[in-house]
Amino acid sequence: MTEPGAAETQDLSSIAERGAAAAPAASRRTSLLVTLVLGGLTAVPPLSMDMYLPALPQVTAALHSPAATVQLTLTTCLAGMALGQMIVGPMSDKWGRRRPLLAGMVVYILATALCAVATGAELLIAFRLLQGLAGAAGIVIARAVVRDLYDGVAMARFFSTLMLISGVAPVVAPLIGGQILRLTDWRGVFVVLTAVGVALTLVVWRKLDETLPPARRHSGGLGQTLRTMRDLLADRVFSGYVLVGAFAFAALFAYISASPFVVQEIYGASPQTFSLLFGINSVGLVAVGQINGKLLVGRVGLDKVLGTGLALTALAATSLLLMSAGVFGPVGLVPMAAGLFVLMASMGLVMPSTNTLALLRTPHAAGSASALLGTSTFLLGSVASPLVGIAGERTAVPMALVQLSCAVLALVSFLGMCRPWQRRGESNGSTAGERTRL
């Protein structure tokens, strides 16, 4: 790494957050607007994925295609989001944040509009791939902008605040999609997503200033990009945080993929009960994220918060595996739901801490680092998704086994690669206050 001194993360509980309290009211109002804009950018992918879910049966019938073919529209969109981050992240380090973000949003609007007029499943699959590639710009650049604007405790709190917005999106997206289908057909879902993309692009264009000054941008082409990626991955601690975040997200994605079958097919719950439980779990994730940002950050070291979150994830996954394997005899829905709630809520500790600790090490390449964080989570999440159904839809053991495996691998990555006890007390030379460039 070219800047190891700036990379060494300390126990952040000792950092005093300065500047935010003294910031003028105008700056605080601007920060709120920036929060909403960045939250909207991070919400675009879950909206694009989940708002479309209730329409899958309609798409299958309207395009006269098998269900397996139509499901590829989800897979290709997810793959596009993973690949797009690897493309847009380094671009934002070279050309700044605004131009790649605006270009990505314009392409997202066009791709989404084309989805609305697709005449066949093959065209829809292609347009969804393009939609995912372009929509990735919002995720990766939002994280990079946070790194440009904030440091230390302030950055950790900001990521927790973003979770309030991005965590609600997967909950409300299927509900919005269902209401749209009451008024129109599946194409209307993409019309609404197009309108959302237009509105968000206009706000970004008018209100989000450039956050990466020319002096901090990278020169060079593909070779320089690859060298930057190589240097980032050569940092053992950064790579450890990348793996921690990826495995934790895979455990969460295993829950998202398997829970409809576990809750409804195995435990006999109605779709309404499943929706209620899913909403409660999502609220738990958001609530713990806010507790983390408001109460823990600045008082407890980020590595301690992350370690606690990972331990809770592993504990919840262990209990789910024991219950689903029948170790405690027949169990009802309530104990399983409690285990799933703890697993999902613990992500409110893991995700903001992982992003903060990884990006603290990479102020010189926040876009590329954000791309590696995002791509790894999407790739491992897409791997975990099919594994949960490997033994059919009548047992929850595969889901719990995947979750426990991912939780253990996340813990091993944290303890074996991040080794926070070796870095305690070392200074990373960063200031803690919120920067007020916007």
Side-chain angles (χ1 to χ4, degrees), residues 288-300:
V288 172
Q290 297 314 294
I291 291 172
N292 178 36
K294 303 298 183 183
L295 300 179
L296 300 182
V297 171
R299 296 178 176 87
V300 181

Side-chain angles (χ1 to χ4, degrees), residues 39 42 45 47 50 54 59-60 124 133 189 214 218 220 340 348 361 395 413 416:
T42 59
L47 287 176
D50 299 340
V59 177
T60 302
L124 184 58
L133 285 167
V189 174
H218 289 187
L340 291 171
R361 302 185 66 82
T395 174
S413 301

Side-chain angles (χ1 to χ4, degrees), residues 116-199:
V117 298
T119 56
E122 293 77 13
L123 283 175
L124 184 58
I125 290 171
F127 295 149
R128 287 282 282 176
L129 175 63
L130 183 60
Q131 185 191 40
L133 285 167
I139 320 172
V140 67
I141 293 181
R143 275 194 301 262
V145 168
V146 173
R147 183 62 187 97
D148 294 339
L149 295 174
Y150 298 96
D151 215 342
V153 170
M155 180 164 56
R157 287 179 173 161
F158 198 90
F159 274 126
S160 294
T161 302
L162 282 187
M163 183 167 287
L164 178 62
I165 302 173
S166 59
V168 170
V171 180
V172 302
L175 301 177
I176 295 174
Q179 295 304 309
I180 292 172
L181 293 178
R182 297 182 65 179
L183 303 175
T184 181
D185 61 6
W186 64 273
R187 298 181 189 275
V189 174
F190 290 109
V191 172
V192 172
L193 285 172
T194 302
V196 170
V198 171

Side-chain angles (χ1 to χ4, degrees), residues 38-118:
L38 296 180
L41 291 173
T42 59
V44 165
L47 287 176
S48 301
M49 295 290 293
D50 299 340
M51 194 184 296
Y52 171 66
L53 292 178
L56 283 177
Q58 274 196 19
V59 177
T60 302
L63 299 182
H64 307 288
S65 298
T69 301
V70 174
Q71 285 174 337
L72 287 176
T73 62
L74 296 175
T75 305
T76 53
C77 186
L78 186 64
M81 290 178 185
L83 179 61
Q85 293 184 71
M86 292 297 290
I87 298 171
V88 178
M91 287 173 58
S92 73
D93 282 337
K94 182 177 181 181
W95 293 314
R97 313 304 185 200
R98 270 179 60 86
R99 284 190 290 172
L101 176 57
L102 288 171
M105 292 304 297
V106 169
V107 176
Y108 173 86
I109 293 169
L110 295 175
T112 307
L114 288 172
C115 288
V117 298

